Amino acid sequence: MSSRSFYQPAQEVEAFYLSQFQTIDHHLRCNDSSVVTHFSIPNSYEPFCTLESSSGNLSYNIYNPPSTVNFSPNGSPMSQQQSQSYPPDLHNSPDNTYGSPRSGSCITNDVSDLRHKLRELETVMLGPDSDIIDSIDSTFQNGNDTCSSEMNSGRQIMGAISRRDVKHVLIACAKAVSDNDLLMANWLMDELRQMVSVSGEPIQRLGAYVLEGLVARLASSGSSIYKALRCKEPASSDLLSYMHILYEVCPYFKFGYMSANGAIAEAMKDEDRVHIIDFQISQGSQWITLIQAFAARPGGPPHIRITGIDDSTSAYARGGGLHIVGRKLSKLAEKFKVPFEFHVATMSGYDVKLENLGFRPGEAVAVNFAFMLHHMPDESVSTENFRDRLLMLVKRLSPKVVTLVEQESNTNTAAFYPRFLEALNYYTAMFESIDVTLTRDHKDRINVEQHCLARDIVNIIACEGPERVERHELLGKWKSRFKMAGFRPYPLSSVVNATIKTLLENYCDKYRLQERDGALYLGWMNRDLVASCAWK
């Protein structure tokens, strides 16, 4: 570089490719008249099919260079001159992947031509012996770019593309989106479409949905995708919902439910009348084992009343309203001769008031927050702070025990880029754990990941403000909220801990269980995924 000087017209300085990766039509000239390189990226776009559910009725204007770039109804980038109809989406088919030849380029019609031009440019700048592909020997560490210059960053990216390093390219793409570097983001999205697959390795499968989230973020369509991607009942004679399949193949939900049930059973061991208030009861699977445990209690079971709170969203997984849950649990209680009542409260946690909870004197109250509180907006979203308001409302019931189960992730108030890195790390572990149970071509696995995990991933990446409802906090923050509401820790029973350890023996030995500061953590290898604790 030092042996050569370059002529750059003032109007082209900002567009200098290797320093900003934002050139649309760039001319790089050496003072040596014998060496002149013309480098140009055609400003053209071709169709890209995203998730079927991402279709909408609007066109999203996201950038205004000389040739304005829009997003088509299916989330695909195109120029104004190229508005056209797009083919039906084939992404949901297990036989198709993002890497199919149908995926078009966002930057150029010939990706190999782009690489060739990059090599030409590098030869001018670094000399004929340099190699932008083979000289890469460093990668992102902990999601941060460790290179000291934009050129080395470019070398890293090209090396990652050459190695088909999906995680590295995803991070680079997210950084470009964060920096509003549209040209770079679209180029990397085009490269990623050739790397990801809904039936590939864990990072390839996760990458398909992360890429969907990045595209949706640029198109401002994340909220509509989140609402459309519901974990619904399979269209078959199998009565198991996709969420229940996930419940069976991974221990995360069983761990959470078992630890919460253990705390409730311990707190209610001497009570004759028990009222369990379950926020977001979903399919009611948590209470099957607790009813059975109460039935075997020395001296006979207590009278159990469950108030199931849930909005209409979970109806897709149940195949209907909350009465389905009540009927199922009532039949189970009758079979085990347990006195039982079920109270329905079809509403969101936002709207719950004391009178909705059916409080009766003489009942011992247990409140269950399992994978629910992170959906409530806090002070960073709303002046009403629904998260803390709900905890203070529950405290007014003077419950004997309150159980909390949440994903151990930090995506609530984080800005987009660090939130992206956290989500990528978290769901990489999740997808790897699924991989050891369900084969990669298993139809149920594809449906489980698409219907039950993809929607959360898209929401975390693509949405902001009130539209972003997947707002996880680390347990340390939850503890602060509970203490502020007036609660004290309720120690988990050692018997429960031992039972959960026995449960994990039925799963891969890469799962790990740890007890820290009165709480239980279930993780995959070195990553905590779910935390559980109890309060009084």
Side-chain angles (χ1 to χ4, degrees):
M1 289 286 289
S2 60
S3 64
R4 302 184 182 190
S5 59
F6 295 87
Y7 166 69
Q8 293 176 271
Q11 66 269 27
E12 294 181 0
V13 171
E14 187 173 345
F16 185 54
Y17 180 78
L18 283 182
S19 65
Q20 296 297 328
F21 286 91
Q22 291 179 328
T23 306
I24 293 178
D25 188 5
H26 176 69
H27 298 267
L28 177 66
R29 296 182 176 88
C30 177
N31 277 352
D32 182 351
S33 60
S34 63
V35 182
V36 178
T37 299
H38 176 80
F39 180 67
S40 174
I41 301 178
N43 188 18
S44 63
Y45 300 87
E46 292 187 9
F48 159 51
C49 295
T50 59
L51 288 174
E52 182 177 355
S53 57
S54 66
S55 297
N57 298 319
L58 300 177
S59 184
Y60 306 94
N61 189 348
I62 62 170
Y63 185 59
N64 292 289
S67 178
T68 302
V69 177
N70 290 330
F71 271 75
S72 68
N74 71 349
S76 307
M78 63 179 182
S79 66
Q80 287 181 340
Q81 295 88 345
Q82 289 182 295
S83 298
Q84 56 181 289
S85 299
Y86 285 80
D89 173 36
L90 302 175
H91 170 76
N92 289 333
S93 169
D95 299 324
N96 186 33
T97 71
Y98 274 20
S100 70
R102 287 184 290 272
S103 295
S105 170
C106 285
I107 302 301
T108 177
N109 293 326
D110 189 349
V111 174
S112 63
D113 182 58
L114 173 60
R115 291 197 179 99
H116 176 69
K117 292 177 185 298
L118 284 171
R119 289 183 181 276
E120 286 183 347
L121 176 63
E122 190 198 32
T123 299
V124 172
M125 299 185 68
L126 302 178
D129 296 328
S130 62
D131 190 334
I132 204 165
I133 300 297
D134 299 328
S135 65
I136 308 304
D137 59 1
S138 60
T139 60
F140 283 110
Q141 297 176 359
N142 300 322
N144 295 318
D145 185 355
T146 59
C147 295
S148 60
S149 68
E150 290 84 353
M151 183 176 293
N152 281 338
S153 177
R155 286 171 171 266
Q156 277 195 312
I157 293 170
M158 289 303 297
I161 291 172
S162 177
R163 298 189 304 272
R164 301 185 70 81
D165 184 341
V166 176
K167 188 171 186 177
H168 188 127
V169 181
L170 284 171
I171 292 171
C173 187
K175 187 64 169 65
V177 171
S178 177
D179 294 342
N180 200 29
D181 187 344
L182 186 65
L183 182 62
M184 175 65 115
N186 278 322
W187 171 45
L188 293 177
M189 286 176 183
D190 184 64
E191 293 291 343
L192 283 165
R193 290 180 186 109
Q194 317 307 317
M195 300 181 188
V196 300
S197 165
V198 296
S199 58
E201 297 177 358
I203 190 60
Q204 291 177 311
R205 305 197 312 266
L206 172 60
Y209 305 121
V210 170
L211 176 58
E212 183 71 21
L214 291 171
V215 171
R217 184 175 182 86
L218 290 183
S220 301
S221 62
S223 182
S224 61
I225 296 176
Y226 178 78
K227 291 174 182 177
L229 275 173
R230 295 186 173 101
C231 193
K232 54 190 176 182
E233 196 78 19
S236 70
S237 59
D238 188 352
L239 296 180
L240 290 179
S241 72
Y242 296 134
M243 184 60 76
H244 193 72
I245 294 171
L246 184 61
Y247 173 86
E248 291 295 333
V249 301
C250 293
Y252 306 118
F253 295 103
K254 288 184 180 179
F255 157 78
Y257 293 164
M258 187 178 293
S259 58
N261 286 353
I264 294 173
E266 176 69 20
M268 303 297 180
K269 61 184 178 183
D270 298 321
E271 300 294 336
D272 294 327
R273 302 188 69 83
V274 175
H275 182 196
I276 299 171
I277 302 172
D278 187 7
F279 285 84
Q280 197 168 308
I281 193 170
S282 189
Q283 299 176 71
S285 303
Q286 176 174 350
W287 308 117
I288 295 175
T289 56
L290 185 63
I291 291 174
Q292 293 172 334
F294 275 134
R297 194 177 74 171
H303 179 280
I304 301 175
R305 186 161 65 98
I306 294 180
T307 294
I309 303 170
D310 211 345
D311 57 25
S312 59
T313 302
S314 296
Y316 287 84
R318 286 189 298 264
L322 281 173
H323 66 279
I324 295 176
V325 177
R327 185 167 60 244
K328 178 177 68 175
L329 294 179
S330 295
K331 288 182 178 179
L332 178 72
E334 181 180 2
K335 175 182 177 181
F336 285 94
K337 297 180 172 55
V338 175
F340 183 80
E341 291 180 56
F342 188 79
H343 177 228
V344 172
T346 306
M347 63 182 62
S348 167
Y350 298 80
D351 304 318
V352 171
K353 297 179 175 59
L354 280 178
E355 53 265 32
N356 303 128
L357 302 179
F359 177 77
R360 295 176 188 171
E363 289 181 332
V365 176
V367 177
N368 184 60
F369 291 116
F371 304 102
M372 175 270 173
L373 275 179
H374 71 272
H375 287 146
M376 304 295 292
D378 70 347
E379 65 277 7
S380 68
V381 182
S382 169
T383 55
E384 295 185 63
N385 194 351
F386 292 98
R387 200 167 288 197
D388 291 343
R389 183 195 73 84
L390 187 56
L391 292 180
M392 289 186 281
L393 181 147
V394 166
K395 182 60 179 175
R396 292 169 59 188
L397 295 171
S398 300
K400 290 207 70 173
V401 65
V402 178
T403 53
L404 173 71
V405 183
E406 278 293 348
Q407 293 170 239
E408 184 68 357
S409 183
N410 185 20
T411 62
N412 182 24
T413 59
F416 165 67
Y417 185 59
R419 184 171 78 240
F420 174 91
L421 298 176
E422 171 75 355
L424 185 64
N425 189 336
Y426 185 93
Y427 283 100
T428 294
M430 180 77 76
F431 274 63
E432 286 176 353
S433 68
I434 294 174
D435 204 54
V436 302
T437 308
L438 294 177
T439 59
R440 294 177 186 176
D441 59 351
H442 199 294
K443 184 176 183 295
D444 283 340
R445 183 201 53 70
I446 294 173
N447 284 323
V448 162
E449 291 175 349
Q450 179 178 317
H451 289 288
C452 303
L453 299 179
R455 68 190 305 264
D456 294 351
I457 293 167
V458 168
N459 187 261
I460 291 170
I461 293 173
C463 298
E464 295 294 349
E467 291 184 343
R468 182 159 61 85
V469 298
E470 299 298 326
R471 293 178 168 271
H472 304 101
E473 291 184 325
L474 298 176
L475 186 56
K477 180 63 176 178
W478 290 120
K479 286 182 175 181
S480 297
R481 293 189 186 279
F482 272 83
K483 290 177 181 177
M484 186 172 62
F487 290 101
R488 293 179 292 117
Y490 186 98
L492 295 175
S493 168
S494 59
V495 176
V496 175
N497 299 357
T499 304
I500 295 175
K501 288 180 180 178
T502 302
L503 165 72
L504 291 181
E505 292 176 0
N506 299 320
Y507 292 88
C508 176
D509 58 7
K510 291 183 180 180
Y511 289 106
R512 60 179 178 80
L513 182 69
Q514 289 187 342
E515 182 178 1
R516 302 195 302 268
D517 300 325
L520 283 178
Y521 295 83
L522 177 64
W524 173 259
M525 300 178 66
N526 62 344
R527 168 79 204 208
D528 291 328
L529 293 177
V530 181
S532 177
C533 60
W535 302 83
K536 60 182 178 180

